[in-house]
Amino acid sequence: MDVLSVRQRLEAICDELDRSIKVLNGTGEHKQWAGEYPQDPADAGANLSENERSEAVLAAARRQRSDVLAALHRIDLGTYGTCAECGGPVPEGRLEAKPEAARCVACQAKLDRRRR
Ligand SMILES: [Zn+2]
């Protein structure tokens, strides 16, 4: 595995997430501002789902950003590509699809089941 190109990819993803988070945070400010004005209930409902959606996107972006930073840290430690749960290798195909992946497919599936 070419760790250098993985690092560049992770850094590019992190930059992109930083930009998205900034934009989404901007929407959050707009939400507070809009809240000071009485609104048509239909409009308020539409805004709410819009805000909820952008908050969900923001939460996902923040989570992915911390995964990406953790992956960069693992490159520094030399443990990148090793599953954080079982210590086994994370398949390269999985890392290509999701370079910030910290776990092998089996351990991630287990974790996802526990979260739900
Ligand atoms: Zn594992």
Side-chain angles (χ1 to χ4, degrees), residues 44-111:
N47 283 343
L48 186 72
S49 61
E50 175 101 352
N51 285 330
E52 274 173 353
R53 202 168 49 228
S54 63
E55 256 161 48
V57 174
L58 185 60
R62 285 206 177 111
R63 209 158 38 225
Q64 196 191 355
R65 189 177 181 276
S66 73
D67 286 350
V68 169
L69 290 178
L72 284 166
H73 188 56
R74 285 198 302 279
I75 290 177
D76 290 337
L77 294 174
T79 59
Y80 182 78
T82 303
C83 175
E85 294 289 327
C86 69
V90 181
E92 255 186 63
R94 175 165 168 75
L95 290 173
E96 251 161 56
K98 199 173 182 295
E100 74 274 25
R103 291 166 192 88
C104 68
V105 182
C107 290
Q108 187 61 54
K110 244 184 273 172
L111 193 76

